[in-house]
Every structure is written in C-alpha cells, then in structure tokens.
Amino acid sequence: MDTLLEINNLSVTVMTGGRELAAVRNVSLDVAPGEVLAIVGESGSGKSLTALSVLGLLSKGVARISEGEIIFDGDDLAKARPHVLDRHRGRDIGMIFQEPLSALNPVLKIGDQIIEGMVVRNEVSRTEARKRALAALTDVRVSDPERRLDQYPHELSGGMRQRVMIALALISSPRLLIADEPTTALDVTIQAQVLEVLKDLQRRRGLSMILITHDLGIVADMADRIAVMYAGEIVETGTVDDILSAPKHPYTIGLLSCLPEFSPPGRRLVVMQGSIPALDERIDGCRFKSRCPRYQPGPCDAPIPLIDLAPGHQCRCIRPFRSQLAKVHHA
Amino acid sequence: MLELKGAVKRYSGGGSIFKKRWLTALDHLSLTVRRGEFFSLVGESGCGKSTLARIVAGLENLDDGELHFDGRRVPDISIFKDRQMRRRVQMIFQDPYSSLNPRMRVGDILREPLRSFGWGDAPAIEKRVVELAEIIRFPLSTLERYPHQFSGGQRQRIAIARAIAATPEVLICDEPVSALDVSIKGQIINLLIDIQEQLGVTILFISHDLSLVSKISDRVGVMYLGRIVEIGDAASVFSDPRHPYTRVLLDAIPTVNRDGRRQGAPLAGEVPSPFAIPTACRFRDRCSLAFDKCAIEEPGLDAVASTRAHYAACHLRDRAQPRKAAADPPRIPGVEIFYTNTSEHQPSNLAKETA
Ligand SMILES: Nc1ncnc2c1ncn2[C@@H]1O[C@H](COP(=O)(O)OP(=O)(O)O)[C@@H](O)[C@H]1O
Ligand code: SF4
Ligand SMILES: [Mg+2]
C-alpha cells in the first residue's frame, strides 16, 4: 500500500521525578495519502506524545524517542537533524492544537502571523502574501476576513481562532495535517462548523490527517481508520466500521459502552472501573487487565502481541470479542 | 423548591467612567426547579448558565427579579450570611482541584463543613465522615491523604462528599464531568443520580453535553443569551424540540451511531454579543425559520399545545417536528460486557443513612 507516513516501533520516554519512564510503547502506524487516521484513547495514553514525535516537538530533556523510526518522504524523522525536521514541519506537515491561543503570537496581528512565514521562507512578496493570507482565511470560512487580518488573536472568538490556526497550518499546502484535539475547547455548534471546514479542506486537497480526539462521535464523522491507544500501546486498529461496528478489544468495547447512546436502558451510565495505570506501575502481561471484565489469570498475564483478526484489523487481546450476534440478528 | 422570577444580572464590561458598557448575563429569566428532581441546564458557553448557578448558590446578587427558595423569597446575599441557607444549597465545580484545599487532608476537607454547620460533637462528626467515605467508596485509610494524591475523578468524588456532608437540599453542579475522561464520567454521574434518588437531593446540573443530559435528567432547560428558550420534561424536549435552537444544538452532537447523525446543516454564526442582545426574538439572526414576526414581537416562554409542561419561546412552537429516531436502537456486539459495572454501582449504604 501507498504510504505517506510510516511509524515503526516508536517508543517515547518521559523524565518524571528523575526517572525515565516509557510513555509510548512500540507503536506502529501508517497513513496513506488522503487518508484520515484517528488516534483515540483516554488522556495519558500517549496520543499527544506520538504526534509530537512526528513533529519533532518533544520537549528537550523531558521527553525523547527511545526507539523506532518515523518515515516521511524517505527521511527518518526520528533521527533527522533539526534542519531536516524544520524543513518538513510547517511545510510538508501542518499542525493544529486544542488551544490556538498558545500557538498564536499574542502581539502579532493575524495577517502578519500568516504572512510572516511566507515572507521568511522567501516564497513570495508581501503583497502576494497578503493576498494568499486573505484567500486562506476565506477558505476556512472566517467571517469578515479582510478585517481579521488586522486583528489580534485575543480579539477573536475561540472558533475563529481555531479557523485561523487551520488557515495557518494549511497555508504552505502540507501533505499531512496533525490535529490534536482541535475542537475539544469549543461549543458543539462551533465544533460542528470547524469540523465541516476541516473535512471540506481535507477532501478538496486530498490531505492526509492524523486526528487525535477522545470523542468517538467525531471519529465516526471524520476518520477512515482508527487506532485505539491505551497506556502507551495500540490495543486495536482497523477501519472505522471495524472499530465502531464490530469492536473486538475489551477496552474499545468499554470506551463505546461508556457513551450515553450505548448505555443500557435507565439513567445510569456504564462505568469502566479503575483508571489508566501510572507510568511507573509494573504490569506483567496485558496493560488493560486490571480493568478488564474478560481478564483470565494466566494467559492474560503473559505479554500480549498485536494479533491480526482480519486484513487491516488488529487487536492486542488473547480473548477478543468474537460475536457474530449482530450479523445473525440483521440477516 | 427553587424559583427565579424575572431574574436580571448585568456585569459592567469596560467602557468609560461616564458611559459604562453593560453586558446582560441573565435577562428577565424565570425558572422553577422542583423538589427532588434532576434538572439540567444546557446552552452554549457564555449564555449565562454559570451566572445562574452562582446566583442560586447565593454567591452573587440579582440586579432585579426574585429568588425563591422553598416558597420563601430569599433576600439579597442572605444565603451568604444565613448559615442555614448555606447548608441547604451546596455547589460543585468543573475543576475539583482548585476547589479543594491542597494543604488539607481529605478527612479534614470532609470535617470542615460539618464543623461549620454545627453537625454535632466530635463522635457524631467522625461517624458522618465514615458514612461519607462509604458513599464515595473511599477506603477509610485514604482519608489521611491529600487531594493531589488522587485522580481527577476521585477528587470530584471528594468534592461531592464535602458538598453533601451536611445534608443539603439542593446540589448545584456546574460542568462537573466536563474535564473527565469518558470512562470516569460514569462514576460521577451515577453517584449524583444515587444522591438524587436515594437522598432526595434536588440537583441542578449544568452541562453542554446534550447526549448525557438527555439520558440522566428529569427536566431540562435550554438557555440562550440569558434567557430560557425551552423547558420541559427531558424526554419531550429531546424527542420533539420546539425551539429551533434546541434542535440545532441536538443536531450538532457528533454521534457514533451513523443513522442518527447530523440531521441538518450546522448552525451558522456565533452567539451574538451579550452587550447587544437582538430585539424581539433573540435567536432570529441565527434562525433558519425566522420570519417577519420574529423581528417585531418577542415570543414568550409559553406552553406548547397538547403537551404537559413543555414550554418554548418561539412563535412556531406548535409546529411539531419530532426528531428522527435511529431506526434501530444502536447496538454494538459485546457492549454488555461492561453492563454489570452499572449495577455494581447500585448504592449500598445511601438509603440507610437517610432513615
Ligand atoms: N512533558 C512531560 N513530562 C512528563 N510526563 C509527560 C510529559 N508529557 C507527557 N507525559 C506523560 O506521558 C504520558 C502520555 O502523555 P500524552 O501523550 O500527553 O497522552 P495523551 O495525549 O494520550 O493524553 C502521560 O502519562 C503523561 O503524563
Ligand atoms: S488480554 Fe486478557 S486482560 Fe487483556 S484485554 Fe484481553 S481479555 Fe482483557
Ligand atoms: Mg493529548
């Protein structure tokens, strides 16, 4: 298969309390051109660290790639020198984060922030850059784009700021966009607008995207494939239909059953007992076992590999859920 | 139980000393919350939900209008001064970390309200602390720890235990689970439902998560720019919304179930500035159904024909447009392997302590 980005066996460690602990464990992922890959999982499962590794933005002295490769366009970004990373980041790989305020320069007008990059890279003249900035803002459906160019980030609403972030990320026509919880801080109505913009741009430009979110509803709407992460590992990966209609890993099933729309009748919600293990917790075998209703002493206490269930559908569980129930019912 | 009549709250938002600008957070809002019910308030951020919560909790004064508690008018700021009132209305917030004193042990956090509300002598207080620990399922040994030693979900449980310590009648919850992961949310929500059902506490629940609210609430109020625009039984409001704003809010929820998804185009525009609330119908500049009357006459929050206790502030409130329900209730194979956990959470010791 054609791939744009290939992550092989990526492990990331973080320094906490003077110790180096594994936070991302042997993660392998690939993204094809034009494909949207969603990474889902609870906070602390290693989603952001995985994304930051691709961007070369792990904070020095705190987090580092301890193993693995990240192949983009023939370069291994995991071992690339800073200037190679800089070349890809911002140009071939765009990024948007949850809080655009922290990514935008507060004392620079919106227009100048967008224009500056283009001028610094010596691509175009200032006038041409301003014209492109205007087009970019129009593309993300910012209202009143002309006026926005002369406004400061704090003068915009959260939704408008996130659109500016998208415009900024896409101005240099990257091939890959990494979006880490892009709409988590927004109201549902504004979230719906921003997602429409993202989806539309992604389709029109054939953009590849890594979408990190904890909201499975957004995933259903946006993604082609899903990787479910738990405690630093990928526990299940497959197409949106594989994962959302026929999940096999107990954790994936658990995530879905926690949603109000899949809860049993009555007012109470489903609870997954316990919480994600601490980084320094020693766990033999399955990292989900302390919360798993299908845990079996013995087999689940040995290392669990990622097992192929069907082409493109993998699951890290020795007792994956194998029910044909749904199909029988519908036949 | 709780009633707001024509409540008005304004905040000054800059401007010059001679000509201050005022933003209207609550605009002649009226609302009744019944004893023992789970009432939810929804709406976009900035529409006044938290302001309403702080007023009902007695943390702020109204500029105009009245707050009634248990049939009695509450004079301004009296909740603050009146210890009995403070005991009867308690509040929990979104961020359980900033609301818990980091230098106090959990046990002391629970003892504090009991002491200040005169719960009883030391043994009575200790007995109550043990009960509270049982309610939130904390082993007694953990009471010696500090808040930072707990996860976000556990801290929220501590905040709940502290709030219900001196048996309040109303518990106000302002976005209590918004910062928590899905797998943890359920613990807090189920605990709140237990507290309502078993202890008979009235719950005023504020949230922007409509799919959650639709499942757990008895009644729901939808707020827009400082006013309730629709209110009624949760089942009725969510299955047959009569205000176009409620409908677009529901349509905007991303859902996993593909049949039930995105029933319309996303709502255009953003919430207008509370400095300049549109005249007549306040929703008209974003409304796809707006017609001439909407710019002339303000729709009242009136009863929807042939419903019981369902009100909507829209001229078209009597046009029924039930939402398309998912053809098949969504079912995912295997989803029930976690269901037992739901019943395991059944309250064990809540009932006994009301007795
Ligand atoms: N800068 C850091 N310093 C210390 N620990 C970190 C740092 N960044 C992340 N971690 C830890 O690494 C784990 C994975 O984090 P992250 O990738 O941010 O997860 P996610 O994005 O899935 O929420 C967490 O336990 C987190 O606390
Ligand atoms: S390997 Fe065992 S403990 Fe882990 S998810 Fe599968 S059944 Fe559960
Ligand atoms: Mg993250």
Side-chain angles (χ1 to χ4, degrees), chain A residues 42-43 157 187 189 193 266, chain B residues 44-45 181 183 215 267 270:
Chain A
E42 284 166 272
S43 38
S157 67
D187 274 311
T189 51
Q193 296 169 357
Chain B
E44 283 164 287
S45 42
D181 268 308
S183 74
K215 185 165 174 66
L267 177 60
E270 304 196 351

Side-chain angles (χ1 to χ4, degrees), chain A:
Chain A
M1 193 182 59
D2 210 6
T3 56
L4 176 67
L5 174 76
E6 192 181 319
I7 301 178
N8 293 317
N9 253 325
L10 175 73
S11 294
V12 178
T13 57
V14 293
M15 293 296 294
T16 351
R19 284 185 304 163
E20 188 171 14
L21 303 169
V24 173
R25 300 162 171 258
N26 298 307
V27 163
S28 297
L29 289 171
D30 49 67
V31 187
E35 181 179 53
V36 179
L37 171 74
I39 306 182
V40 302
E42 284 166 272
S43 38
S45 56
K47 308 183 296 293
S48 297
L49 287 176
T50 303
L52 293 173
S53 305
V54 176
L55 293 163
L57 288 178
L58 292 175
S59 23
K60 284 226 163 46
V62 179
R64 70 175 186 99
I65 296 176
S66 58
E67 203 193 325
E69 43 182 31
I70 301 171
I71 313 289
F72 182 87
D73 209 16
D75 288 323
D76 182 357
L77 303 183
K79 296 178 191 73
R81 299 239 293 271
H83 73 273
V84 179
L85 277 174
D86 287 343
R87 200 182 67 217
H88 286 298
R89 184 178 59 232
R91 205 187 62 188
D92 300 320
I93 307 178
M95 59 212 162
I96 48 180
F97 299 106
Q98 173 171 342
E99 189 29 81
L101 256 195
S102 57
L104 293 170
N105 185 339
V107 298
L108 220 53
K109 287 179 184 164
I110 300 295
D112 292 336
Q113 311 212 18
I114 305 179
I115 293 163
E116 193 186 41
M118 282 184 275
V119 174
V120 165
R121 286 194 296 269
N122 254 331
E123 287 162 12
V124 290
S125 69
R126 256 199 112 74
T127 3
E128 173 62 19
R130 191 173 166 96
K131 224 162 80 192
R132 285 201 201 170
L134 196 61
L137 288 185
T138 312
D139 235 8
V140 294
R141 300 180 216 160
V142 160
S143 60
D144 214 349
E146 190 92 43
R147 187 166 62 95
R148 306 290 183 191
L149 287 176
D150 295 316
Q151 284 185 313
Y152 292 95
H154 74 265
E155 297 179 89
L156 305 186
S157 67
M160 283 300 151
R161 278 200 290 265
Q162 198 53 286
R163 288 165 200 250
V164 168
M165 264 312 290
I166 298 172
L168 205 55
L170 297 183
I171 193 91
S172 55
S173 308
R175 284 177 284 165
L176 175 66
L177 178 68
I178 297 183
D180 192 350
E181 304 274 1
T183 57
T184 303
L186 304 175
D187 274 311
V188 276
T189 51
I190 308 302
Q191 163 170 287
Q193 296 169 357
V194 170
L195 290 177
E196 282 288 316
V197 165
L198 258 186
K199 196 154 80 178
D200 173 56
L201 286 169
Q202 185 270 326
R203 299 246 162 99
R204 263 184 14 222
R205 302 191 178 188
L207 199 63
S208 299
M209 195 163 138
I210 296 181
L211 173 68
I212 297 179
T213 174
H214 64 272
D215 188 329
L216 291 167
I218 294 179
V219 170
D221 196 21
M222 302 278 295
D224 300 308
R225 281 194 305 126
I226 301 178
V228 183
M229 282 187 77
Y230 183 79
E233 290 180 332
I234 293 190
V235 295
E236 184 163 6
T237 163
T239 63
V240 168
D241 277 333
D242 287 341
I243 305 288
L244 297 185
S245 309
K248 301 297 184 201
H249 195 284
Y251 178 64
T252 314
I253 294 173
L255 275 184
L256 283 160
S257 23
C258 288
L259 299 179
E261 57 182 307
F262 296 116
S263 295
R267 297 171 68 200
R268 284 181 177 72
L269 298 179
V270 170
V271 170
M272 239 192 280
Q273 244 105 39
S275 53
I276 200 163
L279 291 182
D280 61 355
E281 203 169 308
R282 203 203 127 122
I283 300 165
D284 292 319
C286 176
R287 296 179 64 75
F288 182 59
K289 67 182 183 183
S290 64
R291 306 173 78 182
C292 182
R294 288 168 72 78
Y295 167 72
Q296 206 174 36
C300 297
D301 298 322
I304 317 283
L306 205 50
I307 301 162
D308 285 304
L309 299 176
H313 190 174
Q314 297 177 308
C315 176
R316 193 184 295 279
C317 172
I318 44 139
R319 307 191 63 210
F321 201 82
R322 290 183 198 277
S323 164
Q324 294 304 311
L325 241 182
K327 281 190 187 137
V328 175
H329 270 303
H330 286 226

